[in-house]
Amino acid sequence: MSSATETVEEQQKLQIYPTSKAGVSPFWRDKYERDAKKYWDIFYKHHGDRFFKDRHYLDKEWNSYFSVGCGAGNTIFPLIATYPHIFVYACDFSPRAVDLVKAHEEYTETRVCAFASDLTGDDLDKHISPSSVDIVTMIFVLSAVSPEKMPFVLQNIKRVLKPNGCILFRDYAVGDLAQERFSGKDQKISDNFYVRGDGTRAFYFSNEFLETLFGKEGFEVEEIGVCCKQVENRSRELVMNRRWVQATFRLSNGTKNPSEEQERKEVVDSTDIDISDGLAMEMFGASPSTHEMSEFKLRDSAFKIKLLSKEYQHTCKSTGLMLWESARFMASVLDRNPNIVSGKRVLELGCGCTGICSMVAARSANLVVATDADTKALALLTENITTNLESSLLGKLKTGVLEWGNKEHIEGIKGLASCGGFEVIIGTDVTYVAEAIIPLFETAKELMLRKVGEVEEEKPALILCHVFRRVDEPSLLSAASKFGFKLVDRWDMNSKESPVGNIVDRWFYENDLVAEIPSSALHILYFQME
């Protein structure tokens, strides 16, 4: 394949949402501008101080502060807790947001002065003495302002800044995932400026736009860069970009640092800098409700599973809070073929919060242990088990923390098996990280029961169900062989190769089970110890 073709395919992979050329009509554009305060007031009426988490990351990046666009106070209160002698002025467009700040248990007028202000028209010096502020923070604030009114905001702030004072800035960057989402909808007001579903607006900045905007108002760029964090949605095989601009602007005093020009051009490309989960939700237009109920139906039963809401999944670091196609598929296989686990001790690796394979297996197995390294996923799993499993089966299904390769965890799970190991080990979509493959097979070997059956199907087995992503089959087989596993059988709906054995094919004698397969890219690998 040519490099040009590869580039086109990569661009297609990154194109998450269809492009829409339509935009917001002039009537609605004017209405959103005229009613901007009302929409933000409604926002804080609905969400209160629960939507954004406190921004403790500020202390890790800057040393002194003053808050503009304070919202519910998520910047303010970490500041006064960190710096006992600092006095913070705080303003917001929404009077309701200011009321939330004043209602906070840590609010005191000796430390904080909070007031409502429209920075595009109200004079800040009615509340703050001119040229008295050392530092101003603008954290996801300027993006809510119409581009043509942004100069007025800077002029207003400039009046209360001391000579040589700084603005510490963080806001949305061009190319951010949220902008990609907007591009497929009729929500564009003007270039890089969009309206959300709740009527609030967001602008996406480039470095060049900011340098010009601040430069015209007498600010020099000390540092500016785009912070990037890449997120992969494995179920849709998408790579998505989170992008925001971070910068420091200083009110010019007529002198210039000789090294400033070089610093200004440096670009930050960091995967270590992160923002709070609440802020990430706001960045991508997601619902503040992080969980939803999803129904998973089998032939004669159904599960109501609590998991991470779809709106939030693309920003979440934990893959264990979602329901993957391979787990749905393997649960259907176990439902139709209870003999796979009947009367056996079963271990599920990387079960996540849903645990549907373990819950189905518990109907016919002697013992099932569902494991994951994510304690949040296990906490939600416990809730799902209690909701869905019959009381008579609850004693057969246990959960445990298991980080692959962790000796202490492995011994703890062995203890739950009581007889030295498990006869069936199941893993669904646990093979997507290359660095985890060796610990995976190492852990499976330690927890596999040492038993030689008379017939092949009675021997202990490791069953992996997945879509091949970053780790291909030869790499998996190579890693498996290092720990004494041999491939006894494989299954692939689209494969033209002859099966290795005749075990897995028998699971699909019922044609309607094949029809239930959620993705033709799913594979099953069936291993036994040599």
Side-chain angles (χ1 to χ4, degrees):
M1 183 183 293
S2 69
S3 59
T5 304
E6 291 174 351
T7 301
V8 170
E9 289 187 354
E10 182 66 14
Q11 289 173 343
Q12 290 173 343
K13 182 178 181 181
L14 295 175
Q15 180 61 45
I16 304 170
Y17 300 96
T19 301
S20 172
K21 294 183 179 179
V24 175
S25 68
F27 170 82
W28 283 103
R29 186 184 305 125
D30 294 341
K31 179 175 174 58
Y32 290 133
E33 176 65 32
R34 186 172 61 252
D35 296 339
K37 181 184 294 186
K38 181 185 78 172
Y39 288 120
W40 278 109
D41 229 29
I42 292 172
F43 174 90
Y44 284 106
K45 178 181 179 181
H46 289 165
H47 304 300
D49 61 357
R50 303 178 302 278
F51 194 76
F52 302 112
K53 290 187 178 180
D54 287 351
R55 295 167 184 170
H56 293 281
Y57 63 83
L58 286 169
D59 183 41
K60 300 175 183 177
E61 295 165 14
W62 298 308
N63 296 317
S64 57
Y65 316 92
F66 168 76
S67 184
V68 169
C70 60
N74 303 91
T75 298
I76 299 168
F77 298 109
L79 289 182
I80 62 175
T82 303
Y83 301 103
H85 304 296
I86 195 172
F87 186 89
V88 178
Y89 289 98
C91 68
D92 198 274
F93 198 22
S94 166
R96 192 178 296 271
V98 174
D99 289 341
L100 289 169
V101 172
K102 292 182 176 181
H104 196 283
E105 60 183 3
E106 295 178 24
Y107 181 84
T108 169
E109 292 184 353
T110 61
R111 301 293 312 281
V112 182
C113 173
F115 55 95
S117 177
D118 177 358
L119 294 179
T120 66
D122 300 340
D123 289 337
L124 282 175
D125 53 16
K126 290 181 180 179
H127 301 273
I128 307 173
S129 298
S131 303
S132 63
V133 173
D134 294 298
I135 302 291
V136 170
T137 56
M138 300 184 72
I139 312 297
F140 295 96
V141 173
L142 198 58
S143 54
V145 178
S146 298
E148 61 270 16
K149 292 190 175 182
M150 290 178 185
F152 300 122
V153 174
L154 297 184
Q155 291 164 18
N156 212 349
I157 292 173
K158 183 178 175 181
R159 283 195 287 270
V160 300
L161 259 181
K162 289 181 180 179
N164 216 37
C166 284
I167 293 179
L168 307 177
F169 180 93
R170 176 181 276 194
D171 221 318
Y172 306 114
V174 169
D176 177 73
L177 170 63
Q179 186 179 24
E180 294 291 331
R181 293 182 64 183
F182 285 134
S183 68
K185 305 173 184 179
D186 297 337
Q187 292 175 262
K188 185 175 181 179
I189 298 174
S190 60
D191 286 347
N192 298 320
F193 194 39
Y194 303 85
V195 62
R196 300 184 182 94
D198 63 359
T200 61
R201 299 170 299 173
F203 187 86
Y204 296 84
F205 295 96
S206 66
N207 288 3
E208 293 76 17
F209 181 94
L210 286 170
E211 290 171 9
T212 300
L213 174 66
F214 278 81
K216 286 182 177 179
E217 302 306 326
F219 289 91
E220 296 172 352
V221 180
E222 284 206 337
E223 179 186 10
I224 189 167
V226 176
C227 300
C228 305
K229 197 171 187 69
Q230 210 170 60
V231 180
E232 182 179 7
N233 185 322
R234 297 188 296 119
S235 66
R236 297 173 62 192
E237 296 187 339
L238 298 173
V239 176
M240 298 170 281
N241 293 315
R242 299 165 54 174
R243 295 168 59 86
W244 61 95
V245 180
Q246 186 163 294
T248 303
F249 300 99
R250 186 175 297 277
L251 186 56
S252 176
N253 61 0
T255 62
K256 193 168 185 178
N257 188 327
S259 63
E260 194 172 285
E261 186 68 21
Q262 178 62 32
E263 292 174 353
R264 186 177 65 82
K265 292 182 178 179
E266 290 181 357
V267 175
V268 178
D269 186 2
S270 171
T271 57
D272 296 326
I273 299 175
D274 198 5
I275 54 181
S276 69
D277 290 340
L279 185 57
M281 284 193 293
E282 191 273 340
M283 283 181 66
F284 301 114
S287 165
S289 175
T290 59
H291 294 105
E292 66 182 18
M293 299 301 295
S294 177
E295 187 173 35
F296 172 64
K297 294 183 178 180
L298 293 172
R299 182 170 46 179
D300 301 316
S301 60
F303 294 88
K304 290 185 177 179
I305 303 296
K306 187 175 183 180
L307 39 69
L308 195 68
S309 63
K310 291 183 177 65
E311 292 88 351
Y312 190 34
Q313 289 180 5
H314 60 277
T315 63
C316 183
K317 297 176 182 178
S318 173
T319 58
L321 298 176
M322 311 168 201
L323 176 57
W324 299 102
E325 291 179 339
S326 54
R328 292 167 46 206
F329 177 44
M330 197 66 212
S332 296
V333 170
L334 294 172
D335 180 58
R336 302 297 183 91
N337 300 271
N339 59 297
I340 296 173
V341 297
S342 181
K344 298 176 181 177
R345 292 183 298 279
V346 179
L347 171 69
E348 184 176 4
L349 300 173
C351 64
C353 71
T354 66
I356 54 174
C357 291
S358 289
M359 286 193 278
V360 172
R363 297 170 176 175
S364 51
N366 279 353
L367 172 72
V368 179
V369 179
T371 65
D372 202 285
D374 187 343
T375 54
K376 290 183 180 179
L378 289 175
L380 198 52
L381 171 64
T382 301
E383 190 175 333
N384 283 325
I385 290 173
T386 303
T387 302
N388 289 280
L389 213 57
E390 298 174 14
S391 56
S392 60
L393 299 178
L394 291 175
K396 295 171 62 176
L397 176 51
K398 303 180 184 298
T399 63
V401 179
L402 177 58
E403 181 181 343
W404 303 336
N406 185 310
K407 299 297 183 183
E408 184 178 345
H409 289 180
I410 290 171
E411 290 303 316
I413 299 302
K414 271 185 182 179
L416 295 176
S418 72
C419 294
F422 296 87
E423 294 152 288
V424 177
I425 299 179
I426 297 170
T428 60
D429 238 330
V430 295
T431 59
Y432 61 93
V433 177
E435 294 78 12
I437 300 304
I438 293 297
L440 167 66
F441 285 107
E442 177 189 8
T443 301
K445 178 182 179 180
E446 290 292 324
L447 293 171
M448 182 78 76
L449 182 67
R450 302 296 194 272
K451 172 186 173 183
V452 179
E454 294 182 359
V455 295
E456 199 167 47
E457 285 186 81
E458 295 301 317
K459 296 178 181 178
L462 168 64
I463 304 170
L464 300 179
C465 179
H466 49 248
V467 173
F468 285 113
R469 292 185 176 91
R470 287 173 263 178
V471 183
D472 57 22
E473 184 171 313
S475 299
L476 280 178
L477 299 183
S478 174
S481 65
K482 292 178 181 177
F483 293 94
F485 287 98
K486 67 174 180 178
L487 183 66
V488 175
D489 203 2
R490 73 155 62 85
W491 180 89
D492 172 3
M493 190 171 80
N494 297 320
S495 176
K496 296 180 181 179
E497 299 180 18
S498 301
V500 178
N502 61 353
I503 297 174
V504 180
D505 264 353
R506 280 182 272 178
W507 299 347
F508 298 93
Y509 281 160
E510 298 183 53
N511 290 330
D512 57 341
L513 177 56
V514 175
E516 291 178 8
I517 297 171
S519 171
S520 60
L522 284 164
H523 297 72
I524 294 176
L525 299 180
Y526 189 100
F527 295 94
Q528 290 176 343
M529 297 296 294
E530 294 188 63

